[in-house]
Coordinates of all heavy atoms in Angstrom, one line a residue:
R15 N 74.2 64.8 109.3 CA 74.3 63.9 108.2 C 75.1 64.6 106.9 O 75.9 63.9 106.3 CB 72.9 63.5 107.8 CG 72.7 62.7 106.7 CD 72.6 61.3 107.0 NE 72.2 60.4 105.9 CZ 72.9 59.4 105.5 NH1 73.9 58.9 106.1 NH2 72.4 58.6 104.4
K20 N 79.8 65.0 103.5 CA 80.9 65.8 102.9 C 82.2 65.3 103.2 O 83.1 65.2 102.4 CB 80.6 67.3 103.6 CG 81.4 68.3 102.9 CD 81.0 69.7 103.3 CE 82.1 70.4 104.2 NZ 81.6 71.6 104.6
F68 N 88.5 50.2 111.3 CA 88.7 51.5 110.6 C 89.6 51.3 109.5 O 89.4 52.1 108.4 CB 89.5 52.6 111.7 CG 88.5 53.1 112.7 CD1 88.5 52.8 113.9 CD2 87.4 53.9 112.2 CE1 87.6 53.3 114.7 CE2 86.4 54.5 113.0 CZ 86.5 54.1 114.3
A92 N 82.6 46.3 112.1 CA 83.1 46.0 113.3 C 82.6 44.7 113.8 O 83.2 43.9 114.3 CB 82.8 47.0 114.4
L104 N 88.7 29.9 118.6 CA 87.8 29.3 119.5 C 88.1 29.7 121.0 O 89.1 29.2 121.5 CB 87.8 27.7 119.3 CG 87.3 27.2 118.0 CD1 87.4 25.8 117.9 CD2 85.9 27.6 117.7
E112 N 86.4 29.4 138.4 CA 87.4 28.5 137.9 C 88.8 29.3 138.0 O 89.7 28.6 137.8 CB 87.2 28.1 136.5 CG 86.0 27.2 136.3 CD 85.6 27.0 134.9 OE1 85.9 27.9 134.0 OE2 85.0 26.0 134.6
V121 N 89.9 44.0 144.7 CA 88.9 45.0 144.8 C 87.5 44.1 144.5 O 87.4 43.7 143.5 CB 89.0 46.2 143.7 CG1 87.9 47.2 143.9 CG2 90.4 46.8 144.0
A122 N 86.5 44.4 145.5 CA 85.3 43.6 145.2 C 84.4 44.4 144.3 O 84.1 45.6 144.6 CB 84.7 43.4 146.7
L137 N 74.3 34.9 127.7 CA 73.9 35.1 126.3 C 74.8 34.6 125.4 O 75.9 34.5 125.5 CB 73.7 36.8 126.1 CG 72.7 37.4 127.1 CD1 72.8 38.9 126.7 CD2 71.4 36.9 127.1
E141 N 73.1 37.2 120.7 CA 72.2 37.8 121.6 C 72.9 38.9 122.3 O 72.3 40.1 122.5 CB 71.7 36.7 122.6 CG 70.8 35.8 122.1 CD 70.5 34.7 123.2 OE1 71.3 34.5 124.0 OE2 69.5 34.0 122.9
K142 N 74.2 38.8 122.7 CA 74.9 39.8 123.3 C 75.1 41.0 122.5 O 74.9 42.1 122.8 CB 76.3 39.2 123.8 CG 77.2 40.2 124.6 CD 78.5 39.5 125.0 CE 78.5 38.2 125.6 NZ 79.8 37.7 126.0
D152 N 71.8 52.2 121.9 CA 70.5 52.9 121.6 C 70.1 53.0 120.1 O 69.7 54.0 119.7 CB 70.5 54.3 122.2 CG 69.1 54.9 122.5 OD1 68.2 53.9 122.7 OD2 68.9 56.1 122.5
D182 N 66.0 35.4 134.1 CA 66.3 34.2 134.8 C 67.5 34.2 135.6 O 67.6 33.7 136.8 CB 66.4 33.0 133.8 CG 66.4 31.6 134.3 OD1 65.6 31.4 135.3 OD2 67.3 30.8 133.9

Side-chain angles (χ1 to χ4, degrees):
R15 179 91 166 128
K20 196 165 106 176
F68 284 114
L104 294 176
E112 295 170 333
V121 178
L137 303 177
E141 291 167 337
K142 192 182 302 184
D152 200 29
D182 186 47

